[in-house]
């Protein structure tokens, strides 16, 4: 389903030469710097290469991160910070903040920012694969795995590396807690969407699907609430997407006549949720903000659900009027559904081991006393980092899920 998922833009970054003239005082140290430059450039190219696969991406990330950790991990046998950690300045934009970059002279900032982009790539790869016509079971599994992999990367950064930053992320920046928490939950919710779609196609038990749909709606609600204290100028569009997905999956849950009882009252609530999801789709399209614009209301899965709820409600009302004569309660039903399978957990992520090139002997040949002196001249005006030109998604024929 092309354009089913909202995607925030990739982070952009300023070039880094790693030209440590004088500081890298041995051929081995110079080779590390040169390899870092090439590995970084290749990884950045992979983010926009449509032929890139998860295997290619992993090789590119391992090549860069295994070398970069030589500037982060302590290599001199002490507990002190690596002497190279704060030597190079890095600039990165943020997915919600336009082209004005954040800059930190910290290799941990570079590691976290680049890994954040890797996680974004996995979400975009999943979106492209899900947008193909007639997605196979193997491809659906790859979409599911990619979204959980992205969640695992975000989670690992939040727990192990972002707390190590000397300068905490400012409000609304990518490495700030609310933003990264939202990405984690969104990835989990979208992975569960894949499970729901597959379960519908395989005609699994309606109560199991409804329970997973209910949990997914709650995930989207949680993600939306996480963003509610950020500035509307840059968070409103993202929040509209999260809200429309929440109402859509609540509509699906309540629309299961044999699961949510009493059926007429549940279906009436389902109709309200679906109408709200339709309205939010329009609001989402009209809201300005960063990221690609999803088009869920144009997908067959979305359209079929609306027709199913309407037809099922009319049928139940006819049957009740002629046969059962049950009183329809005024209060909406309280759902107590708990998914017993299909809940998506982030795939545990670890950075690759330190490269063999980064030995203590080579590390000792980096001599900071031979580095450039502090430049006390007037600082240059902050330059914009050019945004990443991302490939367009070409719409494919939508076969949709068979909802029955």
């Amino acid at each position: 389903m092309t354009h089913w998922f909202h995607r925030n833009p990739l982070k952009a970054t300023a070039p880094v030469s790693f030209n440590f003239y004088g500081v890298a005082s041995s051929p081995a140290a110079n080779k590390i710097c040169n390899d870092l430059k090439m590995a970084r450039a290749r990884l950045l190219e992979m983010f926009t290469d449509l032929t890139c696969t998860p295997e290619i991406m992993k090789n590119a990330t391992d090549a860069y991160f295994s070398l970069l950790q030589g500037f982060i991990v302590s290599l001199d046998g002490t507990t002190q910070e690596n002497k190279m950690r704060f030597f190079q300045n890095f600039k990165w934009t943020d997915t919600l903040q336009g082209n004005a970059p954040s800059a930190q002279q910290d290799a941990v900032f570079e590691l976290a920012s680049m890994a954040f982009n890797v996680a974004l790539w996995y979400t975009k790869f999943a979106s492209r694969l899900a947008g193909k016509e007639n997605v196979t079971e193997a491809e659906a599994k790859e979409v599911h795995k990619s979204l959980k992999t992205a969640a695992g990367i975000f989670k690992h950064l939040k727990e192990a590396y972002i707390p190590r930053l000397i300068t905490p992320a400012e409000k609304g920046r990518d490495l700030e807690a609310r933003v990264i928490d939202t990405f984690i939950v969104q990835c989990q919710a979208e992975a569960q969407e894949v499970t729901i779609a597959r379960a519908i196609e395989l005609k699994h038990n309606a109560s199991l699907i409804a329970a997973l749909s209910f949990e997914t709606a709650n995930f989207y609600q949680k993600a939306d609430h996480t963003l509610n204290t950020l500035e509307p100028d840059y968070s409103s569009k993202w929040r509209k997407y999260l809200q429309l997905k929440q109402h859509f999956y609540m509509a699906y849950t309540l629309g299961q006549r044999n699961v949510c009882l009493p059926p007429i009252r549940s279906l009436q609530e389902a109709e309200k949720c679906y109408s709200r999801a339709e309205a939010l789709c329009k609001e989402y399209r009209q809201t300005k903000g960063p990221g690609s614009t999803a088009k869920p209301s144009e997908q067959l899965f979305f359209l079929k659900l609306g027709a199913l709820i309407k037809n099922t409600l009319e049928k139940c009302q006819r049957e009740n009027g002629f046969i059962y004569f049950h009183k329809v309660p005024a209060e909406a039903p309280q759902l107590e559904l708990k998914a017993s399978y299909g809940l998506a957990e982030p795939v545990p992520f670890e950075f690759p081991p330190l490269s063999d090139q980064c030995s203590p002997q080579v590390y000792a040949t980096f001599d900071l006393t031979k580095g450039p002196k502090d430049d006390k001249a007037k600082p240059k005006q902050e330059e914009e980092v050019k945004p990443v030109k991302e490939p367009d998604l070409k719409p494919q024929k939508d076969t949709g899920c068979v909802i029955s």
Side-chain angles (χ1 to χ4, degrees):
M1 293 185 289
T2 313
H3 302 305
W4 179 253
F5 301 116
H6 172 89
R7 289 292 174 259
N8 287 342
L10 286 166
K11 295 165 70 68
T13 182
V16 179
S17 66
F18 293 103
N19 289 331
F20 297 166
Y21 297 118
V23 173
S25 59
S26 71
N30 276 309
K31 186 175 188 311
I32 287 175
C33 294
N34 189 53
D35 288 351
L36 268 169
K37 178 183 177 180
M38 292 191 296
R40 188 180 198 265
R42 172 165 170 74
L43 179 52
L44 292 174
E45 287 176 2
M46 290 300 99
F47 291 143
T48 55
D49 186 345
L50 288 176
T51 65
C52 184
T53 64
E55 182 180 4
I56 295 172
M57 178 56 67
K58 186 178 188 309
N59 290 338
T61 55
D62 284 357
Y64 183 57
F65 290 141
S66 64
L67 288 167
L68 184 62
Q69 288 188 95
F71 293 169
I72 297 173
V73 177
S74 178
L75 294 173
D76 59 3
T78 71
T79 57
Q80 294 182 341
E81 289 286 1
N82 187 305
K83 65 185 178 184
M84 297 300 295
R85 175 178 169 181
F86 304 109
F87 187 75
Q88 175 69 53
N89 191 50
F90 299 95
K91 290 182 182 179
W92 284 91
T93 63
D94 295 270
T95 58
L96 299 178
Q97 303 290 339
N99 299 333
S102 299
Q104 289 195 34
Q105 198 155 316
D106 187 349
V108 171
F109 175 70
E110 164 72 358
L111 184 83
S113 299
M114 186 69 84
F116 193 101
N117 239 19
V118 173
L120 285 178
W121 179 87
Y122 274 100
T123 70
K124 290 171 182 286
F125 173 78
S127 183
R128 287 199 302 272
L129 194 55
K132 289 182 61 179
E133 186 178 344
N134 298 317
V135 176
T136 65
E137 181 178 357
E139 288 169 336
K141 287 180 179 178
E142 191 67 59
V143 173
H144 189 256
K145 180 181 178 182
S146 294
L147 290 166
K148 294 196 298 179
T149 298
I153 296 172
F154 288 131
K155 187 171 185 285
H156 186 58
L157 293 177
K158 176 192 171 184
E159 294 174 350
Y161 285 89
I162 292 174
R164 293 182 61 184
L165 292 173
I166 302 300
T167 305
E170 297 174 4
K171 180 181 178 180
R173 299 287 181 177
D174 287 336
L175 303 183
E176 196 248 338
R178 286 166 293 187
V179 175
I180 204 162
D181 280 342
T182 302
F183 273 112
I184 294 170
V185 177
Q186 179 181 335
C187 287
Q188 290 178 271
E190 290 178 347
Q192 288 175 193
E193 288 191 73
V194 178
T195 305
I196 291 168
R198 194 65 183 161
I200 292 170
E201 289 182 355
L202 297 176
K203 300 187 184 301
H204 285 184
N205 185 287
S207 62
L208 295 178
I209 302 173
L212 185 56
S213 177
F214 181 58
E215 299 275 13
T216 302
N218 288 338
F219 266 18
Y220 276 117
Q221 184 180 52
K222 178 182 177 182
D224 173 48
H225 288 176
T226 305
L227 293 177
N228 64 8
T229 53
L230 294 185
E231 294 299 327
D233 287 350
Y234 55 77
S235 65
S236 290
K237 188 176 186 69
W238 194 7
R239 290 193 64 194
K240 293 291 184 187
Y241 166 76
L242 300 171
Q243 291 164 11
L244 75 86
K245 284 292 187 76
Q246 176 207 341
H247 282 85
F248 176 79
Y249 282 102
M250 277 303 298
Y252 183 89
T253 303
L254 290 161
Q256 306 307 299
R257 63 174 293 185
N258 296 321
V259 177
C260 299
L261 301 173
I264 291 179
R265 191 68 189 87
S266 294
L267 286 159
Q268 288 172 338
E269 285 300 308
E271 200 167 45
K272 289 180 183 177
C273 286
Y274 185 81
S275 295
R276 181 60 184 141
E278 284 185 310
L280 282 164
C281 284
K282 294 178 182 177
E283 293 174 22
Y284 166 73
R285 286 196 301 270
Q286 294 166 357
T287 302
K288 294 182 179 180
S292 62
T293 300
K295 301 174 183 176
S297 59
E298 297 178 9
Q299 311 299 324
L300 287 177
F301 184 35
F302 192 100
L303 296 170
K304 287 178 180 179
L305 178 61
L308 177 68
I309 291 170
K310 181 176 182 293
N311 294 337
T312 307
L313 176 57
E314 289 175 354
K315 180 181 178 182
C316 288
Q317 288 173 329
R318 283 196 305 271
E319 291 175 352
N320 194 51
F322 281 105
I323 305 170
Y324 304 114
F325 305 106
H326 292 160
K327 183 179 179 181
V328 178
E331 295 295 323
Q334 294 295 315
L335 299 181
E336 296 181 359
L337 300 172
K338 191 72 177 175
S340 56
Y341 89 109
L343 292 174
E345 290 295 329
V347 173
F349 175 80
E350 292 289 341
F351 285 104
L354 184 68
S355 170
D356 291 339
Q357 291 177 246
C358 304
S359 67
Q361 293 75 23
V362 175
Y363 175 75
T365 64
F366 284 96
D367 187 353
L368 295 184
T369 63
K370 297 180 180 178
K373 303 300 180 183
D374 290 340
D375 186 3
K376 295 182 180 180
K378 186 178 179 180
K380 296 179 181 179
Q381 185 176 0
E382 189 68 61
E383 60 180 351
E384 278 197 341
V385 174
K386 293 181 181 179
V388 179
K389 185 172 176 55
E390 300 186 43
D392 293 329
L393 279 177
K394 295 181 180 180
Q396 303 286 330
K397 183 180 178 182
D398 183 19
T399 52
C401 298
V402 179
I403 302 177
S404 59

